[in-house]
Amino acid sequence: MTGAMYAAISGLKGHMNKLNVVGNNIANVNTQGYKSQRAVFADSLYTTVTAGSNGTVKTGGRNPSQMGYGVQMTSIDIDMSTGNYSPTGRALDCMIYGQGFFMIGDKDTVNTIDPTDPQSLKALTLSRVGNFEFKSDGYLSKEKGEVLYGFMCIGNVEGEPVFSDQLVPIRFPRLKTTIQKDADGNDVEVKELVYPTVKAGQALADDDSLPFATFDDITIDPSTGRVTATCEETEEVITIGVIAIGNVTNPNGVTHMNGHYYKAGDGAGDLQVALMGGVGKEMYFSNTNPVAGDKITDAKFSKGTGTINGSLLPAGATAPPGMNVFESGSSLQTGGLESSKTDLATEISEMITTQRGYQANTRIITVTDTMLEELVNMKR
């Protein structure tokens, strides 16, 4: 008889935990990038009263008789599918349409990334919320100062941007001002952009004494993830960098951190670097900073024939050295953020059924208590 009471107690605990999940979903109904969760129940321990048996020549078979002792919550699953687009009107706000995460971290996280060790990429934090802006330090950052990682433009050759061959924080180039003589011998102020120096396993380096250039008309190309802007001092339209996407083997297996952040921990599988599905145009990578006169050789990534590390590449081309980069099927939607995946109608229904389940379990406890009371009172 008390087995029913213990089963009901497990039901109370299980439904209370489920209500916590439902309550968290409803609380985040307007949280950008929030992924709804669900509680999954399973019946718990069983006691075998009589075992089953096969039929014999004289008798038929017998089914096993088992008595259950309640319920348990086996898992809390995350729905990592894409939410609806919520326009904000801000040019640098963007959402990922499809699988993948923005990869963010501190400025010095790059020092822990080893291009030859895919596991080192897991030092980066993942997010689905692309509320970025260039802060006063010149870095493309989120609201708390975490910087966005991608492939930084480190120069231009033959009119084409050349990108770093490793993941680095995306930021503005600096501005160098020199005085030169014109044809008449007069002093002329000449301004030129100075791109950062990139070395393997190190943060971007350049002359800190130079100020950052100022830019306007900053945009993100939705199909390629390229960040372009117009330099106010030189009036050049340049590519600042390209946003990279982090793809994990099991998106539902990521570990939720505080806020809209995730880690590719145990259960998520491998973390790989991807470029947008609409790359289309060849992208050139170099492990040295290009200068005028350099020729682009085989360090490029593009659609084409041949496969290297899962990448579609033209014949004879290579992906960034040591970096497993492939072309993602995802794209960006700019000017807005991803809305919450909470379906309020579904959650209200779940709340009602959870409440009724809780009430039913309290009735089991009440009835069991009444029966025990009758048993005790039999001697009177």
Side-chain angles (χ1 to χ4, degrees), residues 304-324:
T305 59
T307 302
I308 297 178
N309 290 335
S311 305
L312 293 176
L313 299 167
T318 61
M323 188 71 72
N324 184 18

Side-chain angles (χ1 to χ4, degrees), residues 9-229:
I9 290 173
S10 72
L12 293 178
K13 291 180 178 179
H15 282 81
M16 180 56 70
N17 287 332
K18 181 177 180 180
L19 189 63
N20 290 337
V21 175
V22 172
N24 187 54
N25 287 339
I26 294 177
N28 288 281
V29 67
N30 288 317
T31 301
Q32 286 88 356
Y34 175 75
K35 301 302 179 182
S36 60
Q37 300 174 298
R38 66 172 184 178
V40 179
F41 286 171
D43 42 0
S44 189
L45 179 69
Y46 281 88
T47 297
T48 300
V49 180
T50 57
S53 65
N54 296 323
T56 67
V57 176
K58 295 182 178 181
T59 62
R62 181 176 60 189
N63 295 329
S65 298
Q66 294 178 294
M67 186 176 296
Y69 284 92
V71 67
Q72 60 179 330
M73 188 166 65
T74 58
S75 67
I76 301 176
D77 299 334
I78 305 176
D79 179 9
M80 293 301 298
S81 59
T82 305
N84 293 325
Y85 174 74
S86 178
T88 62
R90 299 179 75 248
L92 295 184
D93 281 352
C94 52
M95 68 166 278
I96 301 172
Y97 190 79
Q99 293 187 354
F101 300 86
F102 296 110
M103 294 183 287
I104 59 177
D106 297 331
K107 295 177 183 178
D108 59 356
T109 305
V110 67
N111 297 324
T112 66
I113 298 176
D114 180 2
T116 63
D117 180 15
Q119 290 296 319
S120 68
L121 292 173
K122 294 188 176 184
L124 293 169
T125 303
L126 309 176
S127 178
R128 290 281 299 186
V129 182
N131 54 333
F132 302 113
E133 63 176 318
F134 281 99
K135 301 295 179 66
S136 58
D137 59 358
Y139 284 81
L140 187 57
S141 311
K142 285 178 65 64
E143 70 278 5
K144 294 182 179 180
E146 310 95 329
V147 296
L148 176 65
Y149 275 69
F151 295 103
M152 181 73 183
C153 180
I154 56 176
N156 292 274
V157 174
E158 300 175 359
E160 293 292 338
V162 179
F163 298 94
S164 58
D165 68 345
Q166 60 180 308
L167 282 176
V168 292
I170 297 177
R171 68 155 179 77
F172 288 147
R174 294 184 180 271
L175 183 69
K176 182 178 181 180
T177 304
T178 58
I179 303 297
Q180 299 181 6
K181 299 288 185 179
D182 62 10
D184 298 326
N186 300 320
D187 290 340
V188 178
E189 190 176 73
V190 177
K191 297 180 181 293
E192 60 179 338
L193 295 174
V194 178
Y195 292 94
T197 301
V198 178
K199 295 182 179 179
Q202 297 182 12
L204 300 176
D206 55 11
D207 188 352
D208 294 339
S209 65
L210 298 177
F212 284 109
T214 55
F215 294 85
D216 56 15
D217 299 327
I218 305 173
T219 60
I220 298 176
D221 187 336
S223 62
T224 64
R226 291 195 183 197
V227 183
T228 59

Side-chain angles (χ1 to χ4, degrees), residues 204 240 262:
L204 300 176
I240 297 173
Y262 302 89

Side-chain angles (χ1 to χ4, degrees), residues 173-339:
R174 294 184 180 271
L175 183 69
K176 182 178 181 180
T177 304
T178 58
I179 303 297
Q180 299 181 6
K181 299 288 185 179
D182 62 10
D184 298 326
N186 300 320
D187 290 340
V188 178
E189 190 176 73
V190 177
K191 297 180 181 293
E192 60 179 338
L193 295 174
V194 178
Y195 292 94
T197 301
V198 178
K199 295 182 179 179
Q202 297 182 12
L204 300 176
D206 55 11
D207 188 352
D208 294 339
S209 65
L210 298 177
F212 284 109
T214 55
F215 294 85
D216 56 15
D217 299 327
I218 305 173
T219 60
I220 298 176
D221 187 336
S223 62
T224 64
R226 291 195 183 197
V227 183
T228 59
T230 302
C231 178
E232 295 183 357
E233 291 85 359
T234 64
E235 299 183 352
E236 297 176 72
V237 178
I238 69 163
T239 298
I240 297 173
V242 61
I243 297 174
I245 298 297
N247 279 8
V248 294
T249 308
N250 177 22
N252 294 334
V254 294
T255 302
H256 205 155
M257 313 297 287
N258 291 333
H260 44 75
Y261 302 106
Y262 302 89
K263 279 289 187 181
D266 294 339
D270 294 333
L271 174 60
Q272 296 177 316
V273 182
L275 295 173
M276 296 300 167
V279 172
K281 191 176 182 181
E282 292 182 341
M283 293 180 62
Y284 299 91
F285 296 86
S286 175
N287 58 5
T288 59
N289 287 70
V291 296
D294 284 353
K295 291 185 178 181
I296 299 173
T297 55
D298 63 351
K300 57 187 176 183
F301 171 97
S302 74
K303 292 181 178 178
T305 59
T307 302
I308 297 178
N309 290 335
S311 305
L312 293 176
L313 299 167
T318 61
M323 188 71 72
N324 184 18
V325 180
F326 65 96
E327 187 176 352
S328 170
S330 303
S331 62
L332 292 179
Q333 297 288 335
T334 57
L337 300 174
E338 184 178 6
S339 61

